[in-house]
Amino acid sequence: MKKIALTSCMLFGMMYLIHAQIVTIKDIETSRPLEMVTLHSETPKTFVTTNADGQADISKFKGSEKIGVQMLGFKSVTMRYAEMESLNFEVRLEPSNLNLDEVVISATKWKQSSYNIPFKITTIVKNDVTMQNPQTAADLLEISGKVYIQKSQQGGGSPMIRGFATNRLLYMVDGVRMNTAIFRGGNLQNVISLDPFVTESAEVLFGPGSVMYGSDAIGGVMSFQTLTPQLSLTDKPLIAGKALTRYSSANSEKSGHFDVSVGWKKWAFVSSFSTWDYDHLRQGSHGPDDYLKTVYVQRQNGVDHVITQDNNLLQIPSAYSQDNMMQKIRFQPNENWNFEYGFHYSETSPYGRYDRNARFKDGMPRYAEWNYGPQKWMMNNLSLNHKGNNNVIYDELTLRIAQQRFEESRMDRSFNKTQRSTNTENVEAYSLNLDFTKSLGDKNILFYGAEYIYNDVESSGNLKDIINGVESKGASRYPNSTWSSLAVYMNDEFKVSKKLTALAGLRFNLFALDADFSNNLDFYPFPFSKVKIDDNSVTGSIGTVYRPTQSWVLSVNFGTAFRSPNVDDMGKVFDAEPGAVTVPNPNLKAEYAYNLDVGITKVFDDLVKIDVTAYYTTLQNALVRRDFQLGGRDSLMYDGQMSKIQAIQNASVANVYGVQAGLELKLPQGFSFSSNINYQHGQEELDDGSTSSSRHAAPLFGTSRFNYKADKLHLQFYTSYQSQRKHEDLAFEEQGKDEIYAKDKNGNTYSPAWCTFNVKSMYDLLESFTVSAGLENLTDKRYRPYSSGISAPGRNFILSLIVNF
């Protein structure tokens, strides 16, 4: 019986070897297996990625004359299947950042070579995250050196890209749209709901992305891919995971993370849990005194007291905590079908909005408390992928169905007042995406699909007397509303010649908004109770990539984008600035952007890489806040004071132009240098026809890094910087915000220039144990990134211990 069983096992193993050919990809310097390496071939047309053991099944590649092997941070190689066979199917990649070609997803939603893409795209991978130790997903984006991050509180992070921000940028998570109908024009912090510990990669597409992604993709698209369950290629289960703990001194961070992945041939699972705890953030000791807030409010014996801080460098209140969990399941019954289910959940503690707590009135704090309630996000995501095998309609299909739930709230109480006002918003977001790709001969690839999105917004207000506990209904922030979008789109990639590729796309989009204001008619004199917006948009793009030689890339792209008015634009009531209140406006249309990109990249002798992109964007019919009348009135009583009425209106034209430049040097003996610099200038039209600087066009900023790698050690010294923004160059609406800006010699607000020096290190003590440490802001500079309401950390020591298994 034992002989029969042994013989059966041997026969099964031989049959598997006959049908499966495993290739292993390793780092040539460390001999470690490389995960997430992409192998792709045009004939036959297929691709695979390596698992945690650096392995992939390349049976489908048999006979291929050209197999591309690519991973960001490593030199790409191209070889024949026969060459891999001669190497016993073990390929070693050389570390390098000078590639002109990498595999990206965000351009067309499909994995494709950047070789044929006229868009500027940057990618952040797991190794970058491990080295830099970003505390949030917003900090993760900042690693690129091409995305500017604004913060109003420690629990925040609002990206700025090419002069646009907030609801003019799009967030994608595992292929699912994260933007909702209440994404606002003011600064956002929704990105912190994402877990940087489970981010496999993050891509930033610069410029319009509406053809593939729809509304909001004006300044760019940020696409996050989280951990994917990995299947085993052998009879043994593939088990991998990571445990991490981290401490940071500037905010006494105590973080922990654990994930584990188990894979068999057809089934795979990955589970993850992360937790963060941050104390009040300490700012630097050398810098403008205007950033010091030396007091905070504490309620004692039923009375609000102003407490003098023992340590003036602490920014109180800024402490918060957060928990994230993720579960994914994958089922692949055969090589043509793949099913994945993902569950994400994130919840923060309540946290103070620091800039609002820094407002004063008549020499006393304006607020006793101004807090965001717990920010909650949940997503269920089911995707199906099918390879058509010469199907007439498609070569590959992806169907993605998702449900998300967002909850956010705001709580404020004026100093020495007993009434606390709370606004709570809940959004149920549903989406369905159907995407196809089809090769039309050797030179033409079609990417096309359809999308449906539905948002259900519920908003409520509550007033509570904190002395007697009596509660009553308060004005809600939004009307109860629904927002929907239905679209079809396509992109066509055509290889004009071996050196020239063209990419053109078109999208038709219907959108609708229904709002019911009956929940607020008791509080505000709206001349309407219900509003409906029903409209459509057409956007398109066309671009070319020209490669005269293997070391030159020239690209040009013209694209349009749109943003349909959402519930936040049309229906919100809020105080954007002291003495002004923004009210609903039912007469809104979509805004449109027109953008031109020109890019040049050159590699010199595999030692130097220079990358320059210039762009110009004009935003027509821009949705901006302007003075307004409501029922013939130009002011109303709001939050205890008479306030000027304003509303979001299609009342402006904005223009942004700029340059993004990068330099990379490969130096001897494991040394390298890289630098990114970003210049952008934006102007928008004001009511009187004059112009003002655009609020979301950051000053010149950049990052330069000097690296050393040797065997198990990686050291990095880097500097980050921002130029000055003078008072007269601030956006008109920003000039009066005394609580967030420093004062110049004339007593006017401005944003000072700053520069920080930082050191990071990573050392592999054992094959499975890594220590990562760093010292940020070596000079303990007190600085505040442009438009931010809270100062950045002072000198900050970071220690992270990582176990991989």
Side-chain angles (χ1 to χ4, degrees), residues 266 433 448 681:
K266 294 185 177 182
N433 288 81
Y448 64 103
H681 178 74

Side-chain angles (χ1 to χ4, degrees), residues 8-154:
S8 299
C9 289
M10 291 176 64
L11 287 172
F12 181 83
M14 291 175 65
M15 289 176 63
Y16 179 78
L17 290 173
I18 291 171
H19 289 92
Q21 180 54 63
I22 310 303
V23 66
T24 302
I25 313 295
K26 294 183 177 181
D27 185 327
I28 197 171
E29 294 182 355
T30 66
S31 295
R32 287 193 170 187
L34 296 174
E35 184 182 2
M36 299 304 295
V37 178
T38 299
L39 296 90
H40 59 93
S41 168
E42 291 296 322
T43 308
K45 190 170 184 61
T46 187
F47 74 88
V48 293
T49 55
T50 57
N51 61 20
D53 289 338
Q55 296 182 331
D57 182 355
I58 59 168
S59 304
K60 288 186 176 182
F61 291 78
K62 191 167 185 178
S64 176
E65 292 296 313
K66 189 177 181 181
I67 302 175
V69 185
Q70 296 173 308
M71 183 178 182
L72 190 67
F74 289 83
K75 188 174 182 179
S76 300
V77 298
T78 301
M79 58 178 62
R80 295 178 292 110
Y81 183 91
E83 288 182 80
M84 287 191 176
E85 189 173 20
S86 68
L87 296 171
N88 293 319
F89 295 101
E90 181 174 295
V91 179
R92 294 174 177 258
L93 298 183
E94 176 186 350
S96 173
N97 288 318
L98 303 183
N99 291 333
L100 290 178
D101 193 14
E102 62 184 84
V103 175
V104 295
I105 299 174
S106 56
T108 61
K109 299 186 181 179
W110 295 96
K111 284 190 175 181
Q112 79 184 112
S113 171
S114 62
Y115 192 96
N116 302 316
I117 296 172
F119 306 106
K120 181 175 177 61
I121 298 174
T122 190
T123 305
I124 303 163
V125 295
K126 281 198 296 185
N127 285 345
D128 301 325
V129 177
T130 304
M131 181 70 177
Q132 297 299 326
N133 280 298
Q135 292 190 341
T136 68
D139 300 330
L140 182 152
L141 291 168
E142 199 171 31
I143 292 173
S144 68
K146 303 178 181 73
V147 179
Y148 196 87
I149 301 297
Q150 180 277 350
K151 293 186 179 182
S152 297
Q153 63 280 329
Q154 186 175 198

Side-chain angles (χ1 to χ4, degrees), residues 477-705:
R477 183 175 172 87
Y478 300 113
N480 290 326
S481 313
T482 62
W483 181 90
S484 60
S485 170
L486 177 64
V488 292
Y489 47 87
M490 64 166 286
N491 256 315
D492 185 51
E493 178 188 304
F494 182 69
K495 293 182 180 178
V496 182
S497 67
K498 289 183 178 181
K499 296 182 178 181
L500 181 65
T501 302
L503 184 69
L506 190 67
R507 181 187 186 97
F508 177 70
N509 212 122
L510 299 170
F511 56 86
L513 191 159
D514 289 276
D516 183 353
F517 288 87
S518 58
N519 56 347
N520 268 344
L521 293 180
D522 293 337
F523 303 95
Y524 304 115
F526 299 148
F528 45 80
S529 60
K530 293 186 178 180
V531 170
K532 182 177 180 66
I533 296 176
D534 199 342
D535 210 340
N536 64 77
S537 71
V538 177
T539 51
S541 66
I542 184 168
T544 60
V545 181
Y546 178 59
R547 293 175 177 256
T549 69
Q550 290 298 314
S551 63
W552 274 100
V553 179
L554 307 175
S555 63
V556 178
N557 188 70
F558 175 77
T560 64
F562 79 101
R563 187 174 75 83
S564 66
N566 64 17
V567 177
D568 184 86
D569 298 312
M570 185 273 297
K572 179 171 62 176
V573 179
F574 79 113
D575 58 328
E577 57 189 65
V581 58
T582 300
V583 300
N585 177 14
N587 302 308
L588 296 179
K589 301 288 185 180
E591 56 184 11
Y592 286 87
Y594 304 86
N595 176 83
L596 178 66
D597 272 71
V598 178
I600 301 175
T601 305
K602 169 66 175 174
V603 173
F604 299 89
D605 298 325
D606 203 27
L607 296 174
V608 180
K609 177 182 175 181
I610 297 175
D611 177 13
V612 180
T613 302
Y615 60 89
Y616 183 90
T617 306
T618 182
L619 185 66
Q620 302 288 328
N621 224 21
L623 291 162
V624 293
R625 192 172 65 249
R626 293 286 185 262
D627 290 347
F628 191 69
Q629 287 195 349
L630 189 64
R633 301 168 56 180
D634 61 6
S635 60
L636 59 79
M637 188 64 67
Y638 182 82
D639 199 20
Q641 70 179 45
M642 187 60 67
S643 300
K644 178 174 60 175
I645 295 176
Q646 297 182 326
I648 302 296
Q649 303 171 55
N650 294 106
S652 181
V653 174
N655 298 296
V656 181
Y657 59 87
V659 176
Q660 296 173 288
L663 170 68
E664 297 178 32
L665 302 176
K666 184 178 179 181
L667 303 171
Q669 305 299 317
F671 290 96
S672 64
F673 174 80
S674 66
S675 185
N676 286 286
I677 188 168
N678 307 266
Y679 169 77
Q680 47 279 310
H681 178 74
Q683 285 192 326
E684 65 179 49
E685 183 183 21
L686 299 178
D687 261 349
D688 60 3
S690 62
T691 59
S692 166
S693 297
S694 295
R695 174 187 176 188
H696 292 134
L700 181 143
F701 71 95
T703 301
S704 297
R705 305 181 189 275

Side-chain angles (χ1 to χ4, degrees), residues 165-451:
T166 60
N167 54 17
R168 289 176 180 145
L169 301 176
L170 188 71
Y171 302 82
M172 300 290 294
V173 186
D174 290 342
V176 177
R177 176 191 178 94
M178 194 180 188
N179 292 40
T180 72
I182 64 170
F183 265 40
R184 57 190 180 272
N187 298 306
L188 292 167
Q189 62 264 14
N190 297 75
V191 71
I192 71 168
S193 292
L194 306 180
D195 184 351
F197 290 132
V198 301
T199 300
E200 235 169 33
S201 67
E203 292 182 12
V204 182
L205 182 153
F206 296 90
S210 283
V211 170
M212 295 305 293
Y213 295 100
S215 179
D216 305 0
I218 289 178
V221 178
M222 294 158 286
S223 181
F224 296 83
Q225 178 62 49
T226 61
L227 294 176
T228 301
Q230 298 290 336
L231 298 168
S232 175
L233 299 175
T234 68
D235 292 331
K236 294 181 179 180
L238 175 64
I239 301 174
K242 177 174 65 179
L244 178 150
T245 183
R246 186 174 67 204
Y247 170 80
S248 299
S249 62
N251 54 6
S252 298
E253 176 200 7
K254 296 173 283 294
S255 296
H257 167 79
F258 176 80
D259 68 71
V260 60
S261 175
V262 181
W264 294 270
K265 288 184 179 180
K266 294 185 177 182
W267 288 90
F269 305 83
V270 61
S271 303
S272 166
F273 177 77
S274 302
T275 183
W276 299 264
D277 183 78
Y278 306 110
D279 205 341
H280 301 300
L281 181 63
R282 175 193 172 277
Q283 59 186 320
S285 56
H286 309 296
D289 289 342
D290 304 289
Y291 296 153
L292 297 175
K293 183 173 77 70
T294 60
V295 299
Y296 63 95
V297 177
Q298 189 176 87
R299 193 163 181 83
Q300 301 173 355
N301 300 320
V303 178
D304 291 330
H305 290 272
V306 178
I307 306 298
T308 301
Q309 294 182 193
D310 294 329
N311 183 351
N312 288 342
L313 300 182
L314 287 181
Q315 300 177 91
I316 302 174
S318 60
Y320 83 105
S321 61
Q322 181 173 334
D323 294 318
N324 276 52
M325 63 178 64
M326 184 188 76
Q327 177 66 56
K328 286 189 175 182
I329 303 171
R330 179 180 179 185
F331 174 55
Q332 186 173 297
N334 56 53
E335 62 184 16
N336 293 325
W337 289 93
N338 187 74
F339 300 84
E340 287 187 33
Y341 165 75
F343 171 79
H344 296 261
Y345 183 79
S346 173
E347 181 174 351
T348 71
S349 66
Y351 50 93
R353 177 165 170 176
Y354 187 76
D355 60 345
R356 292 297 177 94
N357 281 283
R359 286 184 178 177
F360 284 77
K361 182 180 180 181
D362 299 328
M364 299 297 287
R366 171 70 177 84
Y367 296 101
E369 54 185 89
W370 207 114
N371 300 318
Y372 285 110
Q375 179 173 292
K376 301 178 184 179
W377 170 63
M378 182 190 73
M379 180 171 76
N380 291 282
N381 177 17
L382 178 64
S383 66
L384 172 158
N385 179 271
H386 180 246
K387 292 179 172 60
N389 288 334
N390 298 318
N391 186 296
V392 176
I393 300 176
Y394 62 88
D395 294 328
E396 197 169 349
L397 168 154
T398 294
L399 172 66
R400 194 179 304 277
I401 304 171
Q403 176 265 337
Q404 298 178 83
R405 179 176 298 157
F406 301 82
E407 180 182 324
E408 56 187 61
S409 56
R410 295 159 178 80
M411 299 164 284
D412 67 84
R413 183 174 61 84
S414 297
F415 184 72
N416 268 334
K417 302 294 183 181
T418 62
Q419 181 175 273
R420 177 187 294 129
S421 173
T422 302
N423 288 105
T424 303
E425 283 72 54
N426 289 279
V427 180
E428 293 283 344
Y430 305 90
S431 61
L432 185 151
N433 288 81
L434 185 60
D435 289 286
F436 304 88
T437 179
K438 177 64 180 176
S439 293
L440 305 175
D442 296 334
K443 295 185 176 183
N444 210 7
I445 304 175
L446 191 65
F447 307 93
Y448 64 103
E451 175 188 73

